[in-house]
Amino acid sequence: MYQIRFRILIAFLFLINFSQTSLAQNKTLSQKETAKLIKDARANRINGDYEKSLLKSRVALEQAIKNKDNTLIANSYLVIASNFDELTEPLKALHYYNLGLYYVNKTNDNTLKNQFYNNLGNIYCFDKKQYDKGIFYYKKSLELSQTVLDRKQIFLTKLNIAWAYFDIGKFVEGFTYLRYINKYQSIDGDDSTIVALHMLNGMYYSFINNIEKATIFFEKAIELGTIGDEKSDLSYSYLEYSKFLNKINQPKKAYDNLILYYKITNELNIEEKLIKANVIGVNLEIDHYKREIDKIEATYKIKQNRLIEEQSKNKKIAIIVLFLLLCVIIFFYFFVQNIRLKQKNRLKDIRSKIQENIINASIDGQELERKKIASFLHDNISSLLSSAGLHLNVFTSINKAQPEEINKTKEILEEAHNQIRNLSHELMPTLLVRFGLLYALEDLCEKTSNSRIKITFNSSIAIKKRYNEEFEMKLYFIIAELLNNIIKHSEATTADVTIKEIENKLFIVVSDNGNGFMDSKLEVTEGFGINQIRARINNMKGEFIINSILNKGTTVSLKIPIVH
């Protein structure tokens, strides 16, 4: 016995040396070579050669990690966990299933995911007796099986779910799955499932107290399990049949079946021990193996974390650079837009200034022409007409006989003189020239008033005060135009012209109680309109404000620096 163990130990050490020298050397295997190694490890496990399977799967894991292939890493963990599962080391198997699950979830391999979920369901239900978790993983496995249309796996998973539900007494929940496997046993089942199926039928009929059918199914399960040498399912069949017999008050028969259950269970335990015994120093070596695998995993995780940190750092730098670039682009865009807007406003101001200058030049020309024409009419034409009239008067006083033509000529000359005088006063009021702005405005308000509108003039300035002649003339015609607009458009019944002097500025307010208007509907009128008034005031460095309320009236405020 000692020599046999020694030989096996030498063989085991040789395998370790072989794995470390020929497979785990610095050279990285290709993905194809790694996949072949996993395939060989899986075949060794199926053949019961767990040592070779574990060694090859460890090397395959190391190579898969070097290749950064999540599918190969997951497959390696699946083989390792399956080895421990069959060596009845459920805790170690669970550890590696969970490690592999992390990697398989990074892939799109639903078939591989299905294997992990199904095996996790087996461990939680049949080893750890945590049925809620087990059923959760079974259902995830079932979902994936239905996605990839794996009928065989769907059948097996539903069988396991039914069994799990029945184990915890949830027969109603499990019956749906039992009905499915009864229907498809002939298509998707085999000799390895028929025993469990009959046992589950027996459990269900026991639950609904159908003693006859329950007995038939339990006995058929035991018969088929004995013929097919399905020891595991046969042992469970004896156990459940024993519970059923005890339930229907057949204690002797129940005891006999329970003895058979213990007998087969002991045989299975002995076989498991033999399997473990064939793996030299399995407990010690498995712990060592686990440390090696954990070391590989830890090394990989460290490298992966460093890579993630580096990627995160680079990502942050890239985001900052992009953000700064975006800020520069936005700043440049708004800078260009601001320049364009300033240029546009400057151009608009220039155009407005040119327009104002044109308007002011036109008005200045009109006022100058008014003054010249008024002066010419008053000083020349009016004087000539007066002189002609005097000569006619002298002639008529000498000659008593006056022809009708002479009298008519005198009347015509007098009428022409009066019309020319009136026209001269309209072009340039005499009061404005002789007595100044305040006299002229007071007279203007009085003359403009009529039965429809009463215009009142208010002034806190001495009426005899004079200003620059040109300044007075400009203000007079501005106020005259404002009053003209009131009469034409406002339909007002009262209006006021108020003027006062404060700190070398004239404050003039022209208001009425007329229709008013919306600011948005203020239109430019022809001739000496609002735009012309605004341009004139701007040229005088003054301020021009209109406040109007629809149906309540309009107020125009002027503030103009005085020119002495």
Side-chain angles (χ1 to χ4, degrees), residues 325-554:
L325 182 62
L326 183 63
C327 289
V328 169
I329 292 171
I330 293 171
F331 174 78
F332 181 74
Y333 171 78
F334 282 108
F335 178 74
V336 171
Q337 290 298 323
N338 188 47
I339 290 175
R340 287 180 178 176
L341 184 62
K342 284 182 178 179
Q343 290 175 342
K344 188 176 179 180
N345 290 336
R346 191 179 297 117
L347 184 62
K348 187 178 178 181
D349 290 340
I350 290 170
R351 286 176 179 171
S352 178
K353 193 69 178 176
I354 291 171
Q355 187 68 24
E356 283 186 8
N357 289 339
I358 292 171
I359 290 170
N360 284 316
S362 174
I363 294 169
D364 286 342
Q366 289 176 14
E367 289 177 352
L368 183 61
E369 288 301 314
R370 278 170 176 266
K371 191 174 181 180
K372 285 182 179 179
I373 292 169
S375 177
F376 177 76
L377 290 172
H378 183 272
D379 296 340
N380 294 311
I381 304 299
S382 183
S383 296
L384 290 172
L385 290 172
S386 296
S387 178
L390 287 172
H391 286 299
L392 282 173
N393 286 330
V394 171
F395 176 78
T396 55
S397 64
I398 294 172
N399 299 295
K400 292 182 180 180
Q402 298 179 3
E404 185 180 350
E405 287 78 5
I406 295 297
N407 291 329
K408 286 184 178 180
T409 301
K410 285 174 63 179
E411 290 175 1
I412 291 169
L413 287 172
E414 187 176 354
E415 184 179 352
H417 178 267
N418 291 334
Q419 287 184 3
I420 288 171
R421 184 185 62 189
N422 291 338
L423 177 60
S424 173
H425 289 171
E426 285 181 9
L427 291 171
M428 186 59 63
T430 304
L431 286 175
L432 178 64
V433 175
R434 290 184 179 181
F435 301 105
L437 176 65
L438 299 175
Y439 271 111
L441 288 176
E442 186 176 40
D443 182 66
L444 177 65
C445 290
E446 185 179 344
K447 285 182 178 179
T448 308
S449 297
N450 54 43
S451 60
R452 290 175 56 193
I453 184 170
K454 174 67 176 175
I455 302 175
T456 306
F457 177 74
N458 302 297
S459 173
S460 61
I461 309 168
I463 198 165
K464 293 183 180 181
K465 185 165 185 179
R466 298 298 303 268
Y467 302 99
N468 177 276
E469 182 181 350
E470 186 180 347
F471 176 74
E472 289 185 334
M473 185 172 61
K474 287 178 181 178
L475 281 183
Y476 178 84
F477 286 117
I478 287 171
I479 295 170
E481 182 61 25
L482 289 172
L483 292 176
N484 188 45
N485 286 340
I486 290 172
I487 293 168
K488 283 184 179 179
H489 307 296
S490 72
E491 298 183 9
T493 57
T494 61
D496 294 289
V497 178
T498 302
I499 183 168
K500 56 186 175 180
E501 182 180 332
I502 302 173
E503 295 180 354
N504 205 36
K505 290 181 182 177
L506 283 183
F507 290 82
I508 303 169
V509 177
V510 180
S511 61
D512 65 73
N513 65 346
N515 293 334
F517 52 84
M518 300 294 290
D519 289 345
S520 59
K521 293 183 179 180
L522 181 61
E523 296 180 356
V524 177
T525 59
E526 292 183 1
F528 203 77
I530 297 298
N531 264 14
Q532 286 85 346
I533 293 173
R534 193 186 302 278
R536 201 64 167 153
I537 298 299
N538 288 340
N539 189 52
M540 297 169 73
K541 310 298 181 185
E543 295 180 16
F544 177 75
I545 300 170
I546 297 178
N547 289 314
S548 185
I549 300 174
L550 198 62
N551 299 322
K552 288 191 176 181
T554 303

Side-chain angles (χ1 to χ4, degrees), residues 79-107:
V79 176
I80 293 168
S82 299
N83 272 287
F84 286 123
D85 210 345
E86 295 192 21
L87 288 168
T88 61
E89 292 283 348
L91 293 179
K92 291 183 176 64
L94 183 61
H95 174 72
Y96 291 112
Y97 279 135
N98 284 325
L99 287 176
L101 192 62
Y102 170 78
Y103 293 98
V104 79
N105 283 331
K106 291 185 175 183
T107 73

